[in-house]
Amino acid sequence: MGVSPPLLEVIDLKKHFAVTKGLILQKIIGQVKAVDGISFTINEGETHGLVGESGCGKTTTAKTVLRLEEPTSGSVKLYGKDVHQLKGDELKEYRATVQAVFQDPWSSLSPRMRVRDLIAEALIVNRRVSKEEVAARVSELLDHVGLHPAQASLFPHEFSGGQRQRIAVASGLASYPKLILLDEPVSALDVSIRAQILNLLWDLQQEYGVAYLMVAHNLATVRYMAHKTSVMYLGKIVEQGDTEEIFNYPLHPYTRALFSAALSSHPDIVRDEIVLPGEVPSPIDPPSGCSFHPRCPVALSEPDLMKRCKGELPVLTEVAPGHRVACHLYSGGADPLPADKLKMHKDGGKAAAIAKKQLAAMTTRVED
Amino acid sequence: MVAVDKSENVLSVNNLHTYFYNRWGTVKAVDGVSFTVKAGETLGIVGESGCGKTMTASSLLRLHPQPASRIIEGEIMLDGDDIMQYPESQMRDVRGRKISMILQDPQTSLNPVYTIGNQLVEALTHRTDETAKERGLRKLAEEALRDVKVAAPNRRLLDFPHQMSGGMKQRVVGAVAMACSPKVIIADEPTTALDVTIQLQYLRLLKDIQARTGMSIIFITHDFGIVARMCDRVAVMYAGRIVENGPVREIFNNPAHPYTAALIGSVPRLEERVDRLFQIEGQPPQLYDLPVGCRFKARCTFAKPVCEEAYPTYYQVDENHNAACWRHDPLWESAPPY
Ligand SMILES: Nc1ncnc2c1ncn2[C@@H]1O[C@H](COP(=O)(O)OP(=O)(O)OP(=O)(O)O)[C@@H](O)[C@H]1O
Ligand SMILES: Nc1ncnc2c1ncn2[C@@H]1O[C@H](COP(=O)(O)OP(=O)(O)OP(=O)(O)O)[C@@H](O)[C@H]1O
Ligand code: SF4
Ligand code: SF4
Ligand SMILES: [Mg+2]
Ligand SMILES: [Mg+2]
């Protein structure tokens, strides 16, 4: 136990972009704190889900892990080695070990290359292999993703959206990677095709033990796929832990609002909807203290708490085994949940006394 | 609150056909669609991409692409009149005033070079009633923005679309569409570009306005979460036709068409982790090359040879609930399997 380092460690990662003004003499007028001090670990064969609203920094995180962006500070370690320091053979090895599948199967597949070459590309660039091996691997991969090996000589436009996404998955798998970054892998696809791709990704993980970092807006998709989940808001992780724990007992006021806003899957499942005031603020000048404070229903109804939320940054603290939250409501660590403060629904009443009960109420089926 | 007679059909569409003619032949985008919408009711139209949802909606307003496509036949009764018979000049009075549409992408429905105020006033000029004369269009425009919960509406009237966030723009589009209090509003995936928390604000707003004005809503979407949250009734479309139509709870609890059941089973659930999603294999048929029998046949796990022979008729499976599938025929059990 504990001898070998985990597959991927992201440690206090920050990525800030300068906001400039002026065309020729550019003046830096601010910083977008796209990713602002996040940490998580992914073990072999595990899926880590990254959720949060548009602009919270999910893609920037994935790009930094992929080395498409340099971190402003902090580090990304693959098997204990800082990926941004890699050179030579180690860099080649990294490129074979970490792959990505993005949202839009159009933009990620070069339109003038045949499927065979698209898939082989990842293989040839990264590993020394013979022609025969390449051909065999391409057939094998097409078969794995449910396409016919004879389709290897076709071009991407000759496939449907779902099939193109399969090709992208096949090329992501070509070099026997240990980790695949999935940035909204199904959101551009039709509902009926989504299940095909999600099941495919699931099966491939069972078979090869590949790990995924999965970025998605859709919470239900993350619940289906991920072992662990991190919820992001304005560049920071506000809640993190085992997926089932987080979905059953969300604690952070933002997570709870986000989950309550996600629509239920049946007309008889009615839940208290938490409607947040306003929209997500700009990451250029994020609010002080807890950046959620201008919209936080709990802090807004508790002036004393609000003072602290405005002035002091909450840190991610373990509140239950495998469950961490960054919110002053829980900063006492092992303290019992401050029951009264969890009341955030207009008509939640006593049922809102503790988080567990409340979420159970949020998802029970009500007969009409 | 407006008292509406919820038993009255505000809109009834009968056997609508809208075809494209191109180099592949005849693309049967809308191929015999019939449905009704009652006053104050929300009808959801669901189905996968390309099945004809938008074409159905745009045909109702006669805004389908022309001359690329043509309405071949059909009857569209709106508020007692067959608007199919109206000449284009008369349709202009119908659009916006009796039926209007909120589009998928707010970018395309707001003109970037005019202020929000200009666009609202433009939409409001169709209003000829007494209130409009008394209060003045500017004032009405401000009220329209306030109705869709835009803060500081008098200042916002001077904004250009690009100065607003996505959620705000979508509300302005809603304000324009609802400016003349139409009887029916068609919302074509109005929230796909919005984040969940903003989407919820928007959906609640639509419900509030509906409760206040008694308008009917046709909600086009492929998100069953939206259907569950918003709709009273659901029409499921497949390859140019409605294959099932029923009350929302019936659709979720007792789907009568295999396609409906498959669609619902293929969606991950927020409330619990399912062991495995149901997977619909294959793809819908091309609309220029449709099979003779059931259009879902190639993907259906229940199919029998009889399904290839003719398109199934609509079977009444319950009150207000029907489905086009041979499985509901009394002779189905005795039909030979493959
Ligand atoms: N190259 C860049 N230069 C400046 N700002 C950037 C750059 N890339 C991203 N940003 C900003 O950083 C923030 C985070 O962006 P990111 O794309 O990571 O968000 P996201 O969570 O992936 O959002 P979405 O769900 O919309 O994809 C945004 O405010 C974005 O505008
Ligand atoms: N200009 C056109 N020329 C030829 N065919 C067209 C044209 N516009 C649409 N179609 C066809 O008409 C059919 C119906 O299109 P429609 O836009 O109604 O689909 P939809 O159900 O709204 O799909 P989505 O969910 O993707 O919006 C599609 O199969 C499409 O290929
Ligand atoms: S720290 Fe304060 S403002 Fe932030 S989520 Fe917790 S209660 Fe709300
Ligand atoms: S008619 Fe036959 S093929 Fe079509 S949905 Fe019913 S059982 Fe399936
Ligand atoms: Mg992104
Ligand atoms: Mg459409």
Side-chain angles (χ1 to χ4, degrees):
Chain A
M1 276 285 291
V3 220
S4 58
L7 171 64
L8 185 84
E9 272 175 295
V10 171
I11 302 161
D12 199 20
L13 184 71
K14 293 190 180 169
K15 179 65 200 179
H16 297 178
F17 295 102
V19 184
T20 55
K21 200 179 173 179
L23 281 176
I24 298 165
L25 294 172
Q26 294 201 332
K27 205 173 100 197
I28 295 180
I29 56 163
Q31 297 281 327
V32 179
K33 298 183 173 172
V35 174
D36 200 24
I38 67 167
S39 305
F40 60 90
T41 302
I42 305 182
N43 296 310
E44 285 184 354
E46 189 176 83
T47 301
H48 196 100
L50 217 48
V51 299
E53 291 174 281
S54 191
C56 69
K58 305 180 297 294
T59 299
T60 306
T61 303
K63 281 188 173 166
T64 315
V65 172
L66 257 186
R67 290 178 41 110
L68 295 175
E69 297 281 3
E70 279 286 317
T72 305
S73 69
S75 59
V76 176
K77 290 185 178 169
L78 188 75
Y79 292 120
K81 291 207 176 109
D82 189 329
V83 304
H84 291 91
Q85 309 297 328
L86 299 176
K87 290 197 179 61
D89 283 351
E90 282 187 330
L91 183 55
K92 269 194 185 148
E93 189 57 34
Y94 162 86
R95 293 220 167 103
T97 310
V98 182
Q99 288 286 319
V101 174
F102 286 104
Q103 171 167 9
D104 180 3
W106 268 124
S107 60
S108 55
L109 299 175
S110 160
R112 277 187 295 276
M113 282 168 80
R114 290 179 196 278
V115 166
R116 173 190 304 123
D117 304 323
L118 281 167
I119 297 175
E121 199 183 27
L123 197 58
I124 298 165
V125 171
N126 299 315
R127 306 212 189 248
R128 237 169 267 134
V129 278
S130 71
K131 256 188 157 174
E132 290 73 29
E133 280 174 298
V134 169
R137 180 83 179 130
V138 168
S139 296
E140 182 188 29
L141 284 164
L142 284 175
D143 188 52
H144 278 318
V145 299
L147 294 172
H148 202 276
Q151 291 174 301
S153 56
L154 301 179
F155 291 96
H157 72 258
E158 297 177 82
F159 292 88
S160 72
Q163 288 174 320
R164 280 197 293 271
Q165 198 63 308
R166 282 162 187 262
I167 296 166
V169 171
S171 91
L173 280 170
S175 60
Y176 303 93
K178 289 283 183 198
L179 174 67
I180 302 185
L181 308 184
L182 304 167
D183 193 348
E184 301 282 359
V186 296
S187 54
L189 302 176
D190 231 315
V191 251
S192 73
I193 314 292
R194 284 183 193 175
Q196 292 177 11
I197 299 292
L198 292 176
N199 285 345
L200 170 69
L201 290 169
W202 178 263
D203 293 344
L204 292 170
Q205 183 169 63
Q206 302 308 306
E207 202 170 329
Y208 299 109
V210 56
Y212 299 126
L213 172 63
M214 178 157 180
V215 167
H217 272 101
N218 188 296
L219 296 165
T221 303
V222 169
R223 183 163 206 178
Y224 183 64
M225 294 293 293
H227 303 93
K228 303 235 172 78
T229 298
S230 293
V231 182
M232 287 184 80
Y233 187 76
L234 282 180
K236 292 196 163 65
I237 290 175
V238 297
E239 186 156 7
Q240 183 178 60
D242 297 336
T243 301
E244 283 306 301
E245 165 79 15
I246 301 239
F247 276 76
N248 286 327
Y249 314 117
L251 295 176
H252 193 281
Y254 175 66
T255 313
R256 290 157 60 79
L258 187 68
F259 285 19
S260 89
L263 300 166
S264 72
S265 58
H266 192 286
D268 289 342
I269 302 175
V270 282
R271 46 174 87 117
D272 287 338
E273 291 174 344
I274 305 165
V275 180
L276 292 178
E279 307 195 2
V280 182
S282 151
I284 296 180
D285 275 308
S288 64
C290 171
S291 54
F292 186 53
H293 82 253
R295 304 173 79 201
C296 176
V298 186
L300 286 171
S301 64
E302 302 261 344
D304 286 347
L305 177 65
M306 182 56 108
K307 266 187 217 129
R308 188 170 171 210
C309 301
K310 266 187 187 162
E312 194 185 324
L313 179 75
V315 290
L316 211 52
T317 313
E318 181 144 272
V319 291
H323 191 165
R324 306 190 307 149
V325 185
C327 166
H328 293 311
L329 287 173
Y330 308 99
S331 52
D335 281 0
L337 301 177
D340 53 324
K341 294 195 171 132
L342 278 166
K343 260 191 287 175
M344 52 175 140
H345 305 317
K346 281 199 303 286
D347 44 14
K350 282 275 187 249
I354 56 167
K356 299 196 179 199
K357 256 198 198 162
Q358 193 172 44
L359 193 90
M362 213 159 105
T363 54
T364 37
R365 291 169 79 119
V366 185
E367 304 297 341
D368 55 344
Chain B
M1 283 287 209
V2 172
V4 286
D5 179 0
K6 292 211 171 191
S7 59
E8 171 205 357
N9 282 340
V10 170
L11 176 71
S12 87
V13 177
N14 203 356
N15 205 23
L16 182 68
H17 291 74
T18 306
Y19 290 178
F20 284 95
Y21 298 92
N22 63 16
R23 61 198 160 100
W24 294 293
T26 307
V27 178
K28 299 178 176 176
V30 182
D31 196 24
V33 163
S34 307
F35 60 87
T36 58
V37 184
K38 294 192 193 322
E41 179 181 62
T42 304
L43 170 75
I45 301 185
V46 289
E48 63 204 285
S49 190
C51 69
K53 304 181 297 294
T54 299
M55 283 301 298
T56 301
S58 51
S59 301
L60 298 184
L61 283 92
R62 218 179 293 164
L63 288 174
H64 55 290
Q66 289 171 33
S69 64
R70 264 198 357 241
I71 300 179
I72 304 303
E73 62 169 300
E75 183 189 65
I76 303 170
M77 300 292 293
L78 178 64
D79 211 12
D81 299 315
D82 185 359
I83 59 170
M84 254 326 229
Q85 308 306 326
Y86 284 10
E88 173 58 26
S89 58
Q90 214 174 343
M91 273 310 286
R92 251 172 254 148
D93 294 334
V94 172
R95 288 183 209 123
R97 287 171 65 180
K98 287 196 163 172
I99 184 167
S100 66
M101 192 152 164
I102 300 173
L103 295 173
Q104 221 151 341
D105 179 10
Q107 238 67 33
T108 55
S109 35
L110 290 175
N111 191 327
V113 302
Y114 293 112
T115 62
I116 299 303
N118 277 332
Q119 300 188 48
L120 270 169
V121 166
E122 162 78 29
L124 283 160
T125 47
H126 294 298
R127 264 181 75 159
T128 47
D129 52 28
E130 286 303 307
T131 356
K133 275 190 217 124
E134 273 166 33
R135 319 277 288 269
L137 295 180
R138 202 77 195 167
K139 201 81 203 142
L140 283 183
E142 197 180 313
E143 279 166 27
L145 276 192
R146 189 169 294 122
D147 280 348
V148 294
K149 305 237 171 70
V150 170
N154 53 341
R155 267 185 290 131
R156 282 294 182 184
L157 286 175
L158 304 172
D159 279 1
F160 288 91
H162 74 265
Q163 292 169 290
M164 302 185 132
S165 69
M168 191 94 84
K169 258 186 276 190
Q170 197 54 288
R171 282 191 245 168
V172 172
V173 174
V176 170
M178 292 181 281
C180 301
S181 317
K183 296 248 170 178
V184 181
I185 194 140
I186 305 173
D188 189 357
E189 314 218 33
T191 61
T192 30
L194 305 181
D195 267 319
V196 276
T197 57
I198 310 300
Q199 164 173 285
L200 181 64
Q201 290 176 358
Y202 189 80
L203 295 179
R204 288 172 69 109
L205 179 71
L206 270 186
K207 275 279 179 203
D208 283 352
I209 295 174
Q210 183 178 39
R212 210 171 58 229
T213 62
M215 68 181 178
S216 307
I217 303 177
I218 298 178
F219 212 113
I220 296 177
T221 179
H222 37 227
D223 182 342
F224 273 97
I226 290 182
V227 173
R229 177 69 177 77
M230 298 295 285
C231 300
D232 303 307
R233 230 146 40 75
V234 187
V236 182
M237 262 189 103
Y238 191 76
R241 287 196 179 164
I242 289 174
V243 295
E244 179 164 3
N245 187 333
V248 67
R249 285 189 170 71
E250 277 285 297
I251 294 285
F252 277 89
N253 294 333
N254 305 307
H257 195 284
Y259 178 61
T260 312
L263 266 188
I264 293 174
S266 71
V267 186
R269 290 167 167 266
L270 181 70
E271 297 84 6
E272 60 190 333
R273 192 190 176 281
V274 295
D275 276 343
R276 196 171 178 80
L277 298 177
F278 185 83
Q279 205 168 304
I280 309 176
E281 303 297 343
Q283 287 156 52
Q286 299 293 347
L287 297 178
Y288 53 84
D289 185 21
L290 290 163
V292 179
C294 173
R295 296 175 182 184
F296 187 56
K297 206 222 88 203
R299 310 170 82 185
C300 181
T301 45
F302 300 97
K304 289 185 176 185
V306 57
C307 305
E308 282 173 54
E309 279 164 34
Y311 190 84
T313 44
Y314 286 96
Y315 291 92
Q316 185 90 20
V317 291
D318 204 338
E319 199 188 342
N320 298 319
H321 184 184
N322 58 45
C325 169
W326 289 124
R327 290 181 76 217
H328 299 286
D329 194 281
L331 295 177
W332 173 259
E333 290 305 329
S334 58
Y338 274 107

